[in-house]
Amino acid sequence: MKYENFIADLDELHQNKLEESAYKGANKDFSVYVPVKVNIYGIQNENFLIKKSEFTKYLYIRSGCRVYFSDADIISMLLQIKDKTVIHYLIAQLIRAYRGEFENYQILVGQKEYEVCGICQVISGQILENEKDIDVPFDDILILLNLIVSKDYAASRLPQWRKKPSFLKQTLAKYISLLKFYYDSDMTAQKYLMDMGYNINKGVLENYADAQLRDEKNNFFCNFNVFEELGMI
């Protein structure tokens, strides 16, 4: 049996566990950890764990460690890709997803199976480095990208978020514009970023170095009309 919206089910699980706990009420620090098994591109991957609190995050499991990679971490790793055809094909798949063109794959969250939305397979054998000092195969980063796409797609369809800008489009606009700017020095991407107040003179990690800088950018990448009219897709 395939269930409908895994984010809605995670919200319910979190609330139920919270009510059973000593907190006995809403608490942003209360977290539930749920194993996730990914079946995609004909392979099975169990290298991720869902951390469900107020929001949903994925932890990467490697060598006994659990690591959280932010969007900035992921983009900084993708910028290490040496083969231009790989990054350009990846950007093309992100653009397809922005336009609502997806590939379906399956995840098992706890004991429940879901069919979710993702992007086409992109192939690279490169190992990517990061500030967490954990080498990550490109394949795992691609699966993490798919999990993020599926999370934002599902969350945007929940009643409480339908009147807000699409989480999915916001995330995809961020990845597309930052990859185009930092990897290809794309001038359209540069204008788009500058006009919203993004500091193009700093790297991705510098722009998201602390909570204040991250909070300042909460409403960035939400003007989808500008993003589309500039020709970013």
Side-chain angles (χ1 to χ4, degrees):
M1 176 180 179
K2 287 188 173 65
Y3 292 82
E4 187 173 346
N5 190 313
F6 75 103
I7 296 298
D9 289 348
L10 284 169
D11 285 343
E12 182 179 356
L13 173 66
H14 177 260
Q15 186 59 39
N16 290 342
K17 293 295 184 182
L18 181 58
E19 290 172 359
E20 294 170 5
S21 75
Y23 289 102
K24 299 296 182 185
N27 189 300
K28 293 183 179 180
D29 297 326
F30 181 81
S31 299
V32 176
Y33 295 86
V34 186
V36 57
K37 186 181 296 183
V38 183
N39 291 300
I40 190 170
Y41 311 137
I43 60 174
Q44 188 174 95
N45 185 296
E46 298 182 46
N47 295 340
F48 297 94
L49 180 71
I50 293 174
K51 179 184 178 182
K52 178 60 188 174
S53 51
E54 182 183 15
F55 299 106
T56 305
K57 293 184 177 181
Y58 298 105
L59 303 182
Y60 181 60
I61 305 170
R62 192 171 183 86
S63 303
C65 298
R66 297 177 179 181
V67 180
Y68 170 67
F69 291 126
S70 67
D71 288 336
D73 292 322
I74 296 168
I75 291 167
S76 71
M77 284 189 275
L78 293 174
L79 292 172
Q80 299 169 27
I81 294 174
K82 297 173 183 177
D83 188 341
K84 289 185 176 181
T85 60
V86 170
I87 200 74
H88 291 159
Y89 187 68
L90 174 61
I91 291 171
Q93 300 318 306
L94 296 173
I95 289 172
R96 285 186 71 242
Y98 183 94
R99 291 172 173 163
E101 302 169 24
F102 301 104
E103 301 294 320
N104 291 336
Y105 69 101
Q106 288 74 42
I107 58 174
L108 191 69
V109 179
Q111 299 302 313
K112 292 183 176 182
E113 186 178 13
Y114 301 84
E115 185 166 274
V116 294
C117 296
I119 63 175
C120 287
Q121 186 175 18
V122 183
I123 298 173
S124 171
Q126 190 170 335
I127 303 296
L128 306 173
E129 300 175 350
N130 53 76
E131 292 194 336
K132 309 289 195 304
D133 262 344
I134 295 179
D135 293 342
V136 185
F138 172 80
D139 285 352
D140 281 353
I141 291 299
L142 183 62
I143 288 172
L144 179 54
L145 269 175
N146 274 284
L147 287 170
I148 292 168
V149 167
S150 65
K151 169 179 69 71
D152 288 350
Y153 180 93
S156 293
R157 275 147 183 77
L158 296 179
Q160 63 266 39
W161 300 116
R162 283 177 185 162
K163 293 184 179 179
K164 300 285 186 180
S166 165
F167 292 134
L168 179 60
K169 282 192 171 184
Q170 183 180 12
T171 296
L172 291 170
K174 179 195 299 184
Y175 275 85
I176 292 165
S177 57
L178 293 178
L179 288 174
K180 281 189 172 188
F181 171 67
Y182 285 110
Y183 198 89
D184 282 333
S185 301
D186 184 279
M187 297 304 293
T188 302
Q190 177 177 308
K191 173 175 171 49
Y192 173 66
L193 294 169
M194 286 180 63
D195 286 352
M196 74 174 70
Y198 184 92
N199 190 339
I200 63 167
N201 296 314
K202 292 184 176 181
V204 179
L205 292 175
E206 290 178 280
N207 267 286
Y208 290 89
D210 56 45
Q212 181 179 342
L213 287 170
R214 293 191 293 272
D215 289 346
E216 288 172 357
K217 297 176 180 63
N218 281 343
N219 295 318
F220 280 18
F221 307 102
C222 286
N223 194 330
F224 309 132
N225 288 335
V226 170
F227 181 75
E228 295 164 16
E229 288 168 2
L230 279 174
M232 290 296 296
I233 60 169

